[in-house]
Amino acid sequence: MGSLTDIGVSAGINILSALGFLLAFAVLRIQPINDRVYFPKWYLKGTRSSPRHLGTVFSKFVNADLSTYIRFLNWMPAALKMPEPELIEHAGLDSAVYVRIYLLGLKIFVPIAVLAFTVLVPVNWTSGTLENEKGLSYDQIDKLSISNLGKGSKRFWAHIVMAYVFTFWTFYVLYHEYKVITTMRLRFLANQNRRPDQYTVLVRNVPPDPDESVSEHVEHFFAVNHRDHYLTHQIVYNANHLSGLVEKKKGLKNWLIYYENQHAKNPTKKPTMKTGLWGLWGKRVDAIEYYKKAIEELCKQEDEERQKVITDPNSIMPAAFVSFKTRWGAAVCAQTQQTSNPTVWLTEWAPEPRDVYWANLAIPFVGLSIRRLLMSVLLFFLTFFFMVPIAIVQSLANLDDIERLLPFLKPIIERNSLKSVIQGFLPGIVLKIFLILLPTILMTMSKIEGHISLSGLDRRTASKYYLFLFVNVFLGSVITGTAFQQLDNFIHQSASKIPEIVGESIPMKATFFMSFIMVDGWAGVAAEVLRLKPLVMFHIKNAFLVRTELDREQAMDPGGLDFYYSEPRLQLYFLLGLVYAVVTPILLPFIIVFFSLAYVVFRHQIINVYNQQYESGAQFWPDVQRRLVIAVIVSQILLLGLLSTQEAEKSTVVLLPLPVLSIWFHYVCKGRFEPAFVKFPLQDAMVKDTLEQAHNPTFNLREYLKGAYVHPVFQRNDIYELVAIDEEEKNPIVVTKRQSRMNTPVGSKFNSSSGTNEGDFSRMPPT
Amino acid sequence: MGSLTDIGVSAGINILSALGFLLAFAVLRIQPINDRVYFPKWYLKGTRSSPRHLGTVFSKFVNADLSTYIRFLNWMPAALKMPEPELIEHAGLDSAVYVRIYLLGLKIFVPIAVLAFTVLVPVNWTSGTLENEKGLSYDQIDKLSISNLGKGSKRFWAHIVMAYVFTFWTFYVLYHEYKVITTMRLRFLANQNRRPDQYTVLVRNVPPDPDESVSEHVEHFFAVNHRDHYLTHQIVYNANHLSGLVEKKKGLKNWLIYYENQHAKNPTKKPTMKTGLWGLWGKRVDAIEYYKKAIEELCKQEDEERQKVITDPNSIMPAAFVSFKTRWGAAVCAQTQQTSNPTVWLTEWAPEPRDVYWANLAIPFVGLSIRRLLMSVLLFFLTFFFMVPIAIVQSLANLDDIERLLPFLKPIIERNSLKSVIQGFLPGIVLKIFLILLPTILMTMSKIEGHISLSGLDRRTASKYYLFLFVNVFLGSVITGTAFQQLDNFIHQSASKIPEIVGESIPMKATFFMSFIMVDGWAGVAAEVLRLKPLVMFHIKNAFLVRTELDREQAMDPGGLDFYYSEPRLQLYFLLGLVYAVVTPILLPFIIVFFSLAYVVFRHQIINVYNQQYESGAQFWPDVQRRLVIAVIVSQILLLGLLSTQEAEKSTVVLLPLPVLSIWFHYVCKGRFEPAFVKFPLQDAMVKDTLEQAHNPTFNLREYLKGAYVHPVFQRNDIYELVAIDEEEKNPIVVTKRQSRMNTPVGSKFNSSSGTNEGDFSRMPPT
């Protein structure tokens, strides 16, 4: 274990680097040129416009008002000022609930830390076992931890009592928080305006019918079995190929704009390019002409494909979005089984339109369970054997091979000092690249599993990532060795031995985890607020691709919370805090600093930066709660293991009820709160229906729902037309008054140009 | 391991005892005096009447037709003759599906046995390892088992391949069977006549309302939230105390009848009795007078209690049976969540009226999760530590203590030979009594858990009993030692060691399990058909209590399948068969004989004897399937463990996918079929509603449902009145034409005498 001085130095360095990031952020954010990087949320809301329009050219880019530099930390209180209801309105419930996780960390750990420092630290400190044992190297941190108690000491009772107190306190906070979040969710759903997904149910695995098309079959089925409630439906097309074309066109369009900008800057020189791979080989042609022609061709292909999708019955998926006259009808349909065969006519709440993951709607249901099996096997191997491919790549990526492949690098590499540095770093870099790619790999696995909403994908990926982090970061750090070696050990160890092994190493790793919290936590959060990557990307795009305000709007990359990536990492801190609360309480202040800093930073980010892709109404909370309870149970089992190696076996029996109680607590909470996150209660549906009926009896719901669930390639169409329109506006053939529709509601985006696929609506009789 | 001769002798003895039972049954069943013991089902159906009314006095009691004795086994083909649809109609789906479990055993094990005997037995036999190893005692059975293969033999591959073949065959049969049972269930539900439970939903945990009674609150809630579907409801009274009184009165009445019969036989002598404990102490009184007075008093108490239950608002439970106008409406309400708080207004399908476990309806919901926690902890201790109290009782129940307590027994006990016999038997008897009581104890635990239907209680108890049998009978026999010692071993063994230990002992225990199958299986089934206990009880009752035909009808004890008790024991044979299929295939024929015999016997019993208390529509099948898959997984893991001790570690890796596949298979089946056992599909409900609407548009459903879900103490009332009426008929004051209503449908049983609690219906407006 490191000494207090080591920790102090490490803390100093990390505090300085965190401060450095914060300072850089404070300076950069008040420069008008970066305004769109640090306040994109407000631009998207339409309440902030480019500061470039005001003042001199210089002040457009650089902030010269020195007084603003002095108050460089004033964004912090500002981030805390916005009250929660306003925050929910501004950023959505998902984000508002997400930052509450950090607050939850403070709620759990501040009282625990206070108690631990008043009770456990004195108990540990005054027990002079380490001092008395000569020849043992120890240090102040050890003296503060449970290691300072001798084997079989009576003082372990203090720790056992505290384990109970901490557990019950955590339960209390968790239960209370779950209750609050449930209430928030229900209030949010109740206050929500009319939304298409409130009336709509996604039906999958419509069985084939020899006489009827999917659309007719769906209509007849629901008109019969939900006689009084069925309103309309929207069939689902397999437009994955079409989306591919659209994406490709988008890329080509960017290049076209790039070359046109080049040309505009230097009108005398026509930009040229090579047609071969990455523009390195091939014939040199006029770039603008080339891209214009390519786009034109792609447009043709796209039109053909669009026609094909709409007319070809094979591209109609056996799935549909079915809408009902009332929320009550939709709630009933989503929660019930439709036919005696439970693998057909599967109904579930439709995700909100932005949340739908369209590519997976085309997956036939048959193979879903096989996909899930394969993915769980893969996840197992990825978690425990990921080091195998990494090691292979690392062995390939040694310098001698590189020299042989790329001989011209030889003189550079052969310099001795450089060679050893690279040789030392290369394996680490390979591992680092894998770890950076990991969340994306896991997300791809979740996509293969066939979940149909972005929020569902996020949640599933978070579970996978948490497993990986738990095994490879937490267990892997405690017991050094690869996950595979651990697995091998664990299989050949007895069930009671495993917690002992892990538990015994826990106190010795406290210093390591303190450094981890400072590097990954403190500095990481401070780096998050700086947004280095979006900052660079924005300025690159701004330099080469931006011509109109709309382009600039698109060049902003507000990003989002990335639940699948950030929540599992955050859970790691809860796990560390709970595990060390009893063992080495000195770690708790580090956790508390992390949660405080992260709370301020993320609150600032969701207010000013992030633009969530979807709004699931905090549907992820049951997952958060589950992982928190897992952390509690792990901490209890490890404490059990630790104490049983300290010759306090008798007293550990007293700890045995704790995990049982925790599991029970989990089921109580699950039973009490989880349905609110899965089902929509009929009473609430009825209340909203009745209110709406009273307020707006003549509302045309059919018209409102029309096109709400149309595949985005049929909608996004508008956006691409807008680009064309912009060009037209510049060189108007006919004067147009059309405007950007970026912020108009989804429902009205569907315009008549893609009206061919509305045939299914118009065929419907007015029920 | 025993020799072939040992097994042969044991088989001979058991076959003889089984034949003895069958012979005794064959003789006893054709005696007219036993007719009601062996054919009660037909009496209850009303298609068979007492044979005593015909022929001479002698032939009333004894069958003198010798030709019937010759064909003493002809009940066997008769039992197999009834086709399945008729069987379902006759005995209900539960019973028909239950005997299919035995058939399933044959379907699984006959092909496996054929394959094992053609492939594995020759492979084992021709591998001469045991012969070559001198000094090892072995025997023919060992030569047929996997033990005959030397360590690291290549022949293990045959076993590995067979393990796959057997697994896939089992999966195929299980999947097919699940499919068939699902179809049977759905057809059964679809063909069912109108039943009150099709329209009714049980609502629990109605929240208290300061202004409204429970009844009003329920009515308002459902009239609002299921506006178009709500019809009526029936509140639930806490009549547990009243039931107690009714039970007590029944007991007293039996005694009264007994003494009246005594008096009738010997009119000169008035029967007397002592009032003290068990009639041993106290004042001697006229017995008839005494009981008449006691009953009269109890009647008064009962009336008071009944008045109290009906008028006291505290005896109204926050639960109700809510009925809907259509099956569709009920299906919707049962499957959906009603309010945002998922712990109130809990709805589930109402069990059919006979299936309701009334005592638990009065349990408030709040404590249910605590009850379940306590019961699972208790089950854990019962399973692993049941030997502790048994040992205490055994140590108390030694003869010296008994001598001290009851000195007058001393001279008898002190005879040396007797003393040692008793001393030897007593601990065994204590254990045996515990094992006999065990299912009842487990059933009580399930009752405490608060399940509200008899079928649910049966299913939950079966799960508990299976756990107990698995740990204490299966594992306990394989690794000798108490369950607690095993638990201790297992905790201190590594995860990979446990299957090795168990797996290694498996081949050695084959002989033991063969004897077990013969004693518990063959002889046990043969004893089942003899019905020794009901036979004795019937004749006792017949001698002392029976006066009228109705009494005789009540004296019959047809019994039932007792799912909670018989199914887990039956599962043990599947487990044994699957575990030994690869290891010692010689065990399979024993299993096959058991399943064949049991199939015939139980088919005979459900046709002629058993009268099921309820009909759940084979709702237990998912549990059966789950335990079968558990058996498959256990067999695979044990084979893995066994092979890894045989220095065939490399080849065992090939077995690893098997358990993964099995778990996956379980989830596939669960997803595919289980909803049919839990939910009622809307389409089926709609079809039945539409048909009924067409056939019988003027049917008065409200009238039909009235009183369907009234607590049986308010209904049973009639029966007791009937007894009084019978007496009246004998000494008629006014001539009556009333008849036994035992077989009238439940709906019409509710007569006006208990009409006070109909107030809730009459208050309801015609919706």
Side-chain angles (χ1 to χ4, degrees), chain B residues 442 461-471 564 567-569 571-572 575 627-628 630-631 634:
Chain B
L442 294 175
T461 310
S463 296
K464 294 190 176 72
Y465 195 34
Y466 182 70
L467 176 70
F468 187 90
L469 290 178
F470 178 77
V471 171
Y564 72 99
E567 195 265 352
R569 298 175 70 91
Q571 287 280 353
L572 212 55
L575 180 64
R627 287 194 271 276
L628 285 171
I630 290 174
V634 167

PDB file of all heavy atoms in Angstrom, chain B residues 442 461-471 564 567-569 571-572 575 627-628 630-631 634:
ATOM      1  N   LEU B 442     -44.944 -28.759   4.310  1.00  0.00           N
ATOM      2  CA  LEU B 442     -44.648 -27.882   3.177  1.00  0.00           C
ATOM      3  C   LEU B 442     -45.919 -27.207   2.688  1.00  0.00           C
ATOM      4  O   LEU B 442     -45.904 -26.025   2.315  1.00  0.00           O
ATOM      5  CB  LEU B 442     -44.006 -28.694   2.052  1.00  0.00           C
ATOM      6  CG  LEU B 442     -42.624 -29.266   2.382  1.00  0.00           C
ATOM      7  CD1 LEU B 442     -42.139 -30.154   1.251  1.00  0.00           C
ATOM      8  CD2 LEU B 442     -41.626 -28.156   2.634  1.00  0.00           C
ATOM      9  N   THR B 461     -46.183 -26.027  -3.388  1.00  0.00           N
ATOM     10  CA  THR B 461     -45.723 -27.072  -2.480  1.00  0.00           C
ATOM     11  C   THR B 461     -44.906 -28.100  -3.242  1.00  0.00           C
ATOM     12  O   THR B 461     -43.893 -28.598  -2.731  1.00  0.00           O
ATOM     13  CB  THR B 461     -46.925 -27.741  -1.814  1.00  0.00           C
ATOM     14  OG1 THR B 461     -47.768 -26.713  -1.286  1.00  0.00           O
ATOM     15  CG2 THR B 461     -46.499 -28.635  -0.690  1.00  0.00           C
ATOM     16  N   ALA B 462     -45.329 -28.403  -4.465  1.00  0.00           N
ATOM     17  CA  ALA B 462     -44.579 -29.375  -5.269  1.00  0.00           C
ATOM     18  C   ALA B 462     -43.148 -28.889  -5.480  1.00  0.00           C
ATOM     19  O   ALA B 462     -42.203 -29.667  -5.380  1.00  0.00           O
ATOM     20  CB  ALA B 462     -45.276 -29.593  -6.603  1.00  0.00           C
ATOM     21  N   SER B 463     -42.973 -27.593  -5.740  1.00  0.00           N
ATOM     22  CA  SER B 463     -41.616 -27.062  -5.926  1.00  0.00           C
ATOM     23  C   SER B 463     -40.785 -27.261  -4.674  1.00  0.00           C
ATOM     24  O   SER B 463     -39.621 -27.661  -4.738  1.00  0.00           O
ATOM     25  CB  SER B 463     -41.660 -25.571  -6.256  1.00  0.00           C
ATOM     26  OG  SER B 463     -42.311 -25.360  -7.468  1.00  0.00           O
ATOM     27  N   LYS B 464     -41.379 -26.959  -3.530  1.00  0.00           N
ATOM     28  CA  LYS B 464     -40.652 -27.102  -2.272  1.00  0.00           C
ATOM     29  C   LYS B 464     -40.272 -28.560  -2.039  1.00  0.00           C
ATOM     30  O   LYS B 464     -39.147 -28.872  -1.662  1.00  0.00           O
ATOM     31  CB  LYS B 464     -41.529 -26.628  -1.109  1.00  0.00           C
ATOM     32  CG  LYS B 464     -41.853 -25.155  -1.100  1.00  0.00           C
ATOM     33  CD  LYS B 464     -42.516 -24.792   0.219  1.00  0.00           C
ATOM     34  CE  LYS B 464     -42.768 -23.309   0.336  1.00  0.00           C
ATOM     35  NZ  LYS B 464     -43.845 -22.859  -0.546  1.00  0.00           N
ATOM     36  N   TYR B 465     -41.228 -29.443  -2.282  1.00  0.00           N
ATOM     37  CA  TYR B 465     -41.005 -30.861  -2.013  1.00  0.00           C
ATOM     38  C   TYR B 465     -39.932 -31.409  -2.946  1.00  0.00           C
ATOM     39  O   TYR B 465     -39.105 -32.226  -2.543  1.00  0.00           O
ATOM     40  CB  TYR B 465     -42.323 -31.614  -2.191  1.00  0.00           C
ATOM     41  CG  TYR B 465     -42.338 -33.009  -1.614  1.00  0.00           C
ATOM     42  CD1 TYR B 465     -41.641 -33.323  -0.462  1.00  0.00           C
ATOM     43  CD2 TYR B 465     -43.074 -34.016  -2.222  1.00  0.00           C
ATOM     44  CE1 TYR B 465     -41.660 -34.601   0.067  1.00  0.00           C
ATOM     45  CE2 TYR B 465     -43.105 -35.298  -1.704  1.00  0.00           C
ATOM     46  CZ  TYR B 465     -42.395 -35.581  -0.563  1.00  0.00           C
ATOM     47  OH  TYR B 465     -42.410 -36.847  -0.045  1.00  0.00           O
ATOM     48  N   TYR B 466     -39.940 -30.938  -4.194  1.00  0.00           N
ATOM     49  CA  TYR B 466     -38.935 -31.395  -5.142  1.00  0.00           C
ATOM     50  C   TYR B 466     -37.542 -31.007  -4.666  1.00  0.00           C
ATOM     51  O   TYR B 466     -36.609 -31.812  -4.716  1.00  0.00           O
ATOM     52  CB  TYR B 466     -39.204 -30.807  -6.525  1.00  0.00           C
ATOM     53  CG  TYR B 466     -38.227 -31.289  -7.579  1.00  0.00           C
ATOM     54  CD1 TYR B 466     -38.252 -32.597  -8.025  1.00  0.00           C
ATOM     55  CD2 TYR B 466     -37.284 -30.439  -8.122  1.00  0.00           C
ATOM     56  CE1 TYR B 466     -37.368 -33.051  -8.983  1.00  0.00           C
ATOM     57  CE2 TYR B 466     -36.386 -30.882  -9.079  1.00  0.00           C
ATOM     58  CZ  TYR B 466     -36.435 -32.188  -9.509  1.00  0.00           C
ATOM     59  OH  TYR B 466     -35.544 -32.641 -10.447  1.00  0.00           O
ATOM     60  N   LEU B 467     -37.409 -29.777  -4.184  1.00  0.00           N
ATOM     61  CA  LEU B 467     -36.110 -29.337  -3.664  1.00  0.00           C
ATOM     62  C   LEU B 467     -35.661 -30.264  -2.551  1.00  0.00           C
ATOM     63  O   LEU B 467     -34.514 -30.719  -2.520  1.00  0.00           O
ATOM     64  CB  LEU B 467     -36.216 -27.898  -3.152  1.00  0.00           C
ATOM     65  CG  LEU B 467     -34.948 -27.358  -2.498  1.00  0.00           C
ATOM     66  CD1 LEU B 467     -33.862 -27.134  -3.531  1.00  0.00           C
ATOM     67  CD2 LEU B 467     -35.213 -26.069  -1.741  1.00  0.00           C
ATOM     68  N   PHE B 468     -36.589 -30.560  -1.641  1.00  0.00           N
ATOM     69  CA  PHE B 468     -36.246 -31.413  -0.519  1.00  0.00           C
ATOM     70  C   PHE B 468     -35.809 -32.801  -0.997  1.00  0.00           C
ATOM     71  O   PHE B 468     -34.787 -33.335  -0.564  1.00  0.00           O
ATOM     72  CB  PHE B 468     -37.454 -31.541   0.424  1.00  0.00           C
ATOM     73  CG  PHE B 468     -37.132 -32.259   1.691  1.00  0.00           C
ATOM     74  CD1 PHE B 468     -36.689 -31.553   2.797  1.00  0.00           C
ATOM     75  CD2 PHE B 468     -37.243 -33.635   1.782  1.00  0.00           C
ATOM     76  CE1 PHE B 468     -36.371 -32.211   3.970  1.00  0.00           C
ATOM     77  CE2 PHE B 468     -36.920 -34.298   2.942  1.00  0.00           C
ATOM     78  CZ  PHE B 468     -36.484 -33.579   4.048  1.00  0.00           C
ATOM     79  N   LEU B 469     -36.590 -33.378  -1.913  1.00  0.00           N
ATOM     80  CA  LEU B 469     -36.262 -34.719  -2.402  1.00  0.00           C
ATOM     81  C   LEU B 469     -34.938 -34.721  -3.142  1.00  0.00           C
ATOM     82  O   LEU B 469     -34.125 -35.633  -2.992  1.00  0.00           O
ATOM     83  CB  LEU B 469     -37.376 -35.226  -3.328  1.00  0.00           C
ATOM     84  CG  LEU B 469     -38.703 -35.564  -2.669  1.00  0.00           C
ATOM     85  CD1 LEU B 469     -39.701 -36.011  -3.726  1.00  0.00           C
ATOM     86  CD2 LEU B 469     -38.525 -36.664  -1.635  1.00  0.00           C
ATOM     87  N   PHE B 470     -34.728 -33.685  -3.938  1.00  0.00           N
ATOM     88  CA  PHE B 470     -33.491 -33.620  -4.710  1.00  0.00           C
ATOM     89  C   PHE B 470     -32.283 -33.604  -3.772  1.00  0.00           C
ATOM     90  O   PHE B 470     -31.336 -34.353  -3.942  1.00  0.00           O
ATOM     91  CB  PHE B 470     -33.497 -32.377  -5.602  1.00  0.00           C
ATOM     92  CG  PHE B 470     -32.240 -32.213  -6.406  1.00  0.00           C
ATOM     93  CD1 PHE B 470     -32.033 -32.985  -7.534  1.00  0.00           C
ATOM     94  CD2 PHE B 470     -31.266 -31.310  -6.035  1.00  0.00           C
ATOM     95  CE1 PHE B 470     -30.874 -32.865  -8.274  1.00  0.00           C
ATOM     96  CE2 PHE B 470     -30.111 -31.182  -6.766  1.00  0.00           C
ATOM     97  CZ  PHE B 470     -29.915 -31.960  -7.894  1.00  0.00           C
ATOM     98  N   VAL B 471     -32.345 -32.727  -2.757  1.00  0.00           N
ATOM     99  CA  VAL B 471     -31.198 -32.591  -1.864  1.00  0.00           C
ATOM    100  C   VAL B 471     -31.065 -33.808  -0.973  1.00  0.00           C
ATOM    101  O   VAL B 471     -29.983 -34.393  -0.859  1.00  0.00           O
ATOM    102  CB  VAL B 471     -31.336 -31.311  -1.020  1.00  0.00           C
ATOM    103  CG1 VAL B 471     -30.264 -31.273   0.058  1.00  0.00           C
ATOM    104  CG2 VAL B 471     -31.244 -30.090  -1.899  1.00  0.00           C
ATOM    105  N   TYR B 564     -49.215 -32.015  -5.279  1.00  0.00           N
ATOM    106  CA  TYR B 564     -48.101 -31.484  -4.493  1.00  0.00           C
ATOM    107  C   TYR B 564     -47.240 -32.589  -3.922  1.00  0.00           C
ATOM    108  O   TYR B 564     -46.091 -32.367  -3.567  1.00  0.00           O
ATOM    109  CB  TYR B 564     -48.623 -30.592  -3.366  1.00  0.00           C
ATOM    110  CG  TYR B 564     -49.292 -31.318  -2.227  1.00  0.00           C
ATOM    111  CD1 TYR B 564     -48.601 -31.587  -1.056  1.00  0.00           C
ATOM    112  CD2 TYR B 564     -50.608 -31.729  -2.323  1.00  0.00           C
ATOM    113  CE1 TYR B 564     -49.214 -32.256  -0.010  1.00  0.00           C
ATOM    114  CE2 TYR B 564     -51.225 -32.389  -1.289  1.00  0.00           C
ATOM    115  CZ  TYR B 564     -50.529 -32.650  -0.139  1.00  0.00           C
ATOM    116  OH  TYR B 564     -51.133 -33.305   0.884  1.00  0.00           O
ATOM    117  N   GLU B 567     -46.292 -35.531  -7.711  1.00  0.00           N
ATOM    118  CA  GLU B 567     -45.494 -35.116  -8.863  1.00  0.00           C
ATOM    119  C   GLU B 567     -44.011 -35.021  -8.539  1.00  0.00           C
ATOM    120  O   GLU B 567     -43.173 -35.522  -9.311  1.00  0.00           O
ATOM    121  CB  GLU B 567     -46.025 -33.782  -9.422  1.00  0.00           C
ATOM    122  CG  GLU B 567     -45.510 -33.443 -10.797  1.00  0.00           C
ATOM    123  CD  GLU B 567     -44.303 -32.538 -10.768  1.00  0.00           C
ATOM    124  OE1 GLU B 567     -43.948 -32.055  -9.665  1.00  0.00           O
ATOM    125  OE2 GLU B 567     -43.713 -32.314 -11.825  1.00  0.00           O
ATOM    126  N   PRO B 568     -43.596 -34.420  -7.410  1.00  0.00           N
ATOM    127  CA  PRO B 568     -42.156 -34.356  -7.134  1.00  0.00           C
ATOM    128  C   PRO B 568     -41.525 -35.746  -7.011  1.00  0.00           C
ATOM    129  O   PRO B 568     -40.388 -35.947  -7.440  1.00  0.00           O
ATOM    130  CB  PRO B 568     -42.076 -33.610  -5.804  1.00  0.00           C
ATOM    131  CG  PRO B 568     -43.342 -32.860  -5.702  1.00  0.00           C
ATOM    132  CD  PRO B 568     -44.362 -33.679  -6.395  1.00  0.00           C
ATOM    133  N   ARG B 569     -42.257 -36.690  -6.430  1.00  0.00           N
ATOM    134  CA  ARG B 569     -41.706 -38.046  -6.306  1.00  0.00           C
ATOM    135  C   ARG B 569     -41.512 -38.662  -7.680  1.00  0.00           C
ATOM    136  O   ARG B 569     -40.523 -39.350  -7.931  1.00  0.00           O
ATOM    137  CB  ARG B 569     -42.653 -38.913  -5.475  1.00  0.00           C
ATOM    138  CG  ARG B 569     -42.844 -38.410  -4.062  1.00  0.00           C
ATOM    139  CD  ARG B 569     -43.885 -39.226  -3.328  1.00  0.00           C
ATOM    140  NE  ARG B 569     -43.402 -40.557  -3.042  1.00  0.00           N
ATOM    141  CZ  ARG B 569     -42.766 -40.890  -1.931  1.00  0.00           C
ATOM    142  NH1 ARG B 569     -42.536 -39.982  -1.016  1.00  0.00           N
ATOM    143  NH2 ARG B 569     -42.352 -42.112  -1.730  1.00  0.00           N
ATOM    144  N   GLN B 571     -40.975 -37.013 -10.392  1.00  0.00           N
ATOM    145  CA  GLN B 571     -39.848 -36.344 -11.054  1.00  0.00           C
ATOM    146  C   GLN B 571     -38.527 -37.014 -10.712  1.00  0.00           C
ATOM    147  O   GLN B 571     -37.593 -37.011 -11.512  1.00  0.00           O
ATOM    148  CB  GLN B 571     -39.787 -34.877 -10.625  1.00  0.00           C
ATOM    149  CG  GLN B 571     -40.870 -34.011 -11.211  1.00  0.00           C
ATOM    150  CD  GLN B 571     -40.558 -33.610 -12.630  1.00  0.00           C
ATOM    151  OE1 GLN B 571     -39.485 -33.872 -13.144  1.00  0.00           O
ATOM    152  NE2 GLN B 571     -41.519 -32.979 -13.285  1.00  0.00           N
ATOM    153  N   LEU B 572     -38.454 -37.581  -9.525  1.00  0.00           N
ATOM    154  CA  LEU B 572     -37.239 -38.268  -9.093  1.00  0.00           C
ATOM    155  C   LEU B 572     -36.867 -39.376 -10.075  1.00  0.00           C
ATOM    156  O   LEU B 572     -35.688 -39.621 -10.339  1.00  0.00           O
ATOM    157  CB  LEU B 572     -37.490 -38.853  -7.705  1.00  0.00           C
ATOM    158  CG  LEU B 572     -36.321 -38.934  -6.750  1.00  0.00           C
ATOM    159  CD1 LEU B 572     -35.688 -37.581  -6.583  1.00  0.00           C
ATOM    160  CD2 LEU B 572     -36.801 -39.442  -5.400  1.00  0.00           C
ATOM    161  N   LEU B 575     -35.307 -37.931 -13.092  1.00  0.00           N
ATOM    162  CA  LEU B 575     -33.939 -37.540 -12.763  1.00  0.00           C
ATOM    163  C   LEU B 575     -33.025 -38.767 -12.794  1.00  0.00           C
ATOM    164  O   LEU B 575     -31.966 -38.748 -13.434  1.00  0.00           O
ATOM    165  CB  LEU B 575     -33.928 -36.881 -11.383  1.00  0.00           C
ATOM    166  CG  LEU B 575     -32.571 -36.405 -10.881  1.00  0.00           C
ATOM    167  CD1 LEU B 575     -32.036 -35.305 -11.768  1.00  0.00           C
ATOM    168  CD2 LEU B 575     -32.668 -35.906  -9.453  1.00  0.00           C
ATOM    169  N   ARG B 627     -39.024 -28.660 -14.110  1.00  0.00           N
ATOM    170  CA  ARG B 627     -38.289 -29.656 -13.332  1.00  0.00           C
ATOM    171  C   ARG B 627     -37.649 -30.716 -14.232  1.00  0.00           C
ATOM    172  O   ARG B 627     -36.563 -31.221 -13.929  1.00  0.00           O
ATOM    173  CB  ARG B 627     -39.214 -30.285 -12.294  1.00  0.00           C
ATOM    174  CG  ARG B 627     -39.526 -29.316 -11.156  1.00  0.00           C
ATOM    175  CD  ARG B 627     -40.135 -30.013  -9.972  1.00  0.00           C
ATOM    176  NE  ARG B 627     -41.568 -30.081 -10.054  1.00  0.00           N
ATOM    177  CZ  ARG B 627     -42.402 -29.105  -9.682  1.00  0.00           C
ATOM    178  NH1 ARG B 627     -41.918 -27.989  -9.201  1.00  0.00           N
ATOM    179  NH2 ARG B 627     -43.698 -29.253  -9.785  1.00  0.00           N
ATOM    180  N   LEU B 628     -38.312 -31.030 -15.350  1.00  0.00           N
ATOM    181  CA  LEU B 628     -37.697 -31.989 -16.277  1.00  0.00           C
ATOM    182  C   LEU B 628     -36.416 -31.408 -16.863  1.00  0.00           C
ATOM    183  O   LEU B 628     -35.403 -32.103 -16.969  1.00  0.00           O
ATOM    184  CB  LEU B 628     -38.691 -32.330 -17.395  1.00  0.00           C
ATOM    185  CG  LEU B 628     -39.820 -33.274 -16.979  1.00  0.00           C
ATOM    186  CD1 LEU B 628     -40.862 -33.376 -18.079  1.00  0.00           C
ATOM    187  CD2 LEU B 628     -39.263 -34.646 -16.680  1.00  0.00           C
ATOM    188  N   ILE B 630     -34.553 -29.171 -15.474  1.00  0.00           N
ATOM    189  CA  ILE B 630     -33.560 -29.183 -14.390  1.00  0.00           C
ATOM    190  C   ILE B 630     -32.903 -30.556 -14.314  1.00  0.00           C
ATOM    191  O   ILE B 630     -31.679 -30.671 -14.197  1.00  0.00           O
ATOM    192  CB  ILE B 630     -34.225 -28.814 -13.043  1.00  0.00           C
ATOM    193  CG1 ILE B 630     -34.611 -27.339 -13.029  1.00  0.00           C
ATOM    194  CG2 ILE B 630     -33.282 -29.119 -11.878  1.00  0.00           C
ATOM    195  CD1 ILE B 630     -35.388 -26.927 -11.806  1.00  0.00           C
ATOM    196  N   ALA B 631     -33.722 -31.618 -14.427  1.00  0.00           N
ATOM    197  CA  ALA B 631     -33.170 -32.971 -14.368  1.00  0.00           C
ATOM    198  C   ALA B 631     -32.179 -33.185 -15.505  1.00  0.00           C
ATOM    199  O   ALA B 631     -31.104 -33.767 -15.309  1.00  0.00           O
ATOM    200  CB  ALA B 631     -34.294 -33.996 -14.429  1.00  0.00           C
ATOM    201  N   VAL B 634     -28.989 -31.305 -14.616  1.00  0.00           N
ATOM    202  CA  VAL B 634     -28.250 -31.996 -13.551  1.00  0.00           C
ATOM    203  C   VAL B 634     -27.528 -33.207 -14.134  1.00  0.00           C
ATOM    204  O   VAL B 634     -26.349 -33.441 -13.858  1.00  0.00           O
ATOM    205  CB  VAL B 634     -29.214 -32.428 -12.428  1.00  0.00           C
ATOM    206  CG1 VAL B 634     -28.537 -33.402 -11.489  1.00  0.00           C
ATOM    207  CG2 VAL B 634     -29.686 -31.213 -11.656  1.00  0.00           C
TER     208      VAL B 634
END
